[in-house]
Amino acid sequence: MQNDEYNNNNNSNDVVSMNERSDSTERRQVELPEELSRSVMVLTCESSAEGGNCDVYLVGTAHVSQESCREVEAVISLLKPQVVFLELCSSRVAVLSPQNLKVPTMAEMIDMWKKKHNMFGILYSWFLAKVASKLEVFPGSEFRVAFEEAMKYGGKVILGDRPVQITLGRTWGKMPLWHKTKLLYSLLFQAVFLPSPEELNKMLKDMDDVDMLTLVIQEMSKEFPTLMETLVHERDQYMSSTLLKVASEHSSVVAVVGKGHLQGIKKHWKQPIAINDLTTFPSQKSKVSTGKILASLGIAAAGIAVISGIYIARKK
């Protein structure tokens, strides 16, 4: 797809529900119970809506946590905001429907590659599905909970994240060939040697239900610096900008985003942001590529298969 198509789509936010209720009475900032306020950051801005101001409640989630789902449900149920803003784009709207936990097979991933899907995106999705299947929580379940809660009282739901195709394209395009090969190997290796469900859940609790996906990206960024830039920092700016636009037209908004985005959105709140620079693909310096990467990946996969066999044998 062409950049122009994406840029045209970005001129307005994706609105999932238009059942916006009207508030005739002046709204005041609500004091949240202590057990909920720990995961919520409150921002404000001027608004064209009645009252002249908007309160924005940023709810930070862990993406693969049942506790996050409960917190999101409780905050929206209590506040009943005019708008529920989600860290999703139109390409990920399927998350809002109940889904079965299913890890894609090798044949399905090859078929996706033949259909010109981004290789990094295919393996990244596979890695997330592996984590989700271990925890029995679909990544993004909190967004479905938020959507369903908004539907109960007729709130408007807006998808405010940058299109995932742009994020993956910019991530892949900014990486040198050697880094691409190493990254794919790393995703394969980590997915094969994931901890047990008990260990994963304990890790989440020990880390106070942090945004595990952002934590993984932070760790991998020590070797691949562009990951943090494109997967986190750029999206912080994009969502801060789109959220401000939404808030400037309403009196109350609850935004559901990963905890790893809270500080970045706050940092860029009300700051000038060049959206066009965040929604174009980096120029391709060379076309090398997929063949060499796949060849390296094949070697990596074979190596992992051998290592896995040794690891499993030693555990018996």
Side-chain angles (χ1 to χ4, degrees):
M1 295 187 188
Q2 300 298 314
N3 291 342
D4 290 343
E5 179 182 347
Y6 285 126
N7 291 333
N8 290 336
N9 289 341
N10 286 332
N11 291 333
S12 60
N13 301 112
D14 293 309
V15 181
V16 178
S17 165
M18 287 296 292
N19 300 323
E20 185 178 8
R21 62 192 175 87
S22 61
D23 286 334
S24 56
T25 57
E26 184 179 343
R27 296 183 62 92
R28 294 184 178 179
Q29 192 175 114
V30 178
E31 193 74 27
L32 292 171
E34 185 178 350
E35 64 272 16
L36 295 178
S37 61
R38 290 178 306 143
S39 301
V40 177
M41 177 183 290
V42 182
L43 302 174
T44 60
C45 70
E46 293 182 353
S47 171
S48 59
E50 186 176 355
N53 288 289
C54 181
D55 296 325
V56 179
Y57 298 82
L58 279 173
V59 185
T61 72
H63 286 322
V64 284
S65 163
Q66 291 286 11
E67 182 61 30
S68 284
C69 292
R70 287 189 286 270
E71 289 175 350
V72 166
E73 181 179 22
V75 170
I76 295 175
S77 176
L78 176 65
L79 299 177
K80 292 183 172 55
Q82 284 186 314
V83 177
V84 173
F85 174 104
L86 304 179
E87 183 198 326
L88 290 175
C89 66
S90 58
S91 296
R92 297 171 60 207
V93 73
V95 169
L96 301 182
S97 303
Q99 299 183 47
N100 295 321
L101 290 171
K102 183 179 181 298
V103 179
T105 64
M106 183 60 71
E108 289 170 334
M109 290 193 289
I110 291 173
D111 186 55
M112 290 169 70
W113 174 70
K114 287 179 179 177
K115 292 177 180 176
K116 309 298 183 184
H117 285 237
N118 181 283
M119 177 59 73
F120 168 65
I122 294 170
L123 277 181
Y124 188 58
S125 299
W126 176 70
F127 173 73
L128 296 185
K130 291 279 287 183
V131 174
S133 65
K134 288 269 189 178
L135 294 174
E136 297 185 343
V137 179
F138 198 89
S141 292
E142 73 272 29
F143 302 132
R144 177 169 54 80
V145 169
F147 173 73
E148 292 174 349
E149 197 60 36
M151 292 301 94
K152 290 179 183 178
Y153 65 87
K156 180 191 291 185
V157 178
I158 289 180
L159 311 182
D161 198 2
R162 181 172 65 180
V164 67
Q165 297 93 332
I166 292 178
T167 295
L168 294 176
R170 285 179 63 81
T171 301
W172 195 245
K174 287 190 169 192
M175 298 180 77
L177 177 62
W178 170 233
H179 277 191
K180 291 176 181 177
T181 306
K182 280 175 62 182
L183 176 62
L184 296 182
Y185 175 89
S186 179
L187 285 173
L188 277 171
F189 188 87
Q190 291 192 47
V192 168
F193 294 110
L194 277 177
S196 68
E198 294 75 21
E199 290 172 319
L200 279 173
N201 276 306
K202 184 176 184 303
M203 286 166 59
L204 279 174
K205 283 299 175 190
D206 289 346
M207 295 183 291
D208 193 26
D209 283 329
V210 297
D211 181 354
M212 182 176 274
L213 299 186
T214 301
L215 194 67
V216 169
I217 294 168
Q218 286 175 338
E219 283 302 308
M220 295 181 74
S221 289
K222 293 174 182 176
E223 287 192 68
F224 313 103
T226 55
L227 287 186
M228 200 67 186
E229 177 189 351
T230 56
L231 295 180
V232 179
H233 297 324
E234 288 186 357
R235 289 172 58 222
D236 288 345
Q237 295 178 64
Y238 186 94
M239 287 191 286
S240 188
S241 175
T242 54
L243 180 57
L244 180 61
K245 182 176 183 297
V246 170
S248 67
E249 299 169 354
H250 298 87
S251 60
S252 61
V253 178
V254 166
V256 182
V257 301
K259 286 186 178 181
H261 291 292
L262 291 181
Q263 291 302 323
I265 290 174
K266 178 183 178 182
K267 174 184 176 183
H268 296 288
W269 189 244
K270 299 181 184 178
Q271 299 301 311
I273 295 170
I275 288 292
N276 286 342
D277 293 344
L278 299 174
T279 53
T280 55
F281 292 104
S283 58
Q284 296 296 321
K285 294 179 180 176
S286 73
K287 292 274 183 185
V288 195
S289 51
T290 311
K292 289 188 177 180
I293 293 173
L294 286 178
S296 301
L297 191 56
I299 295 170
I304 288 176
V306 172
I307 296 169
S308 300
I310 295 171
Y311 178 77
I312 293 168
R314 288 182 63 184
K315 293 198 75 174
K316 289 182 178 178

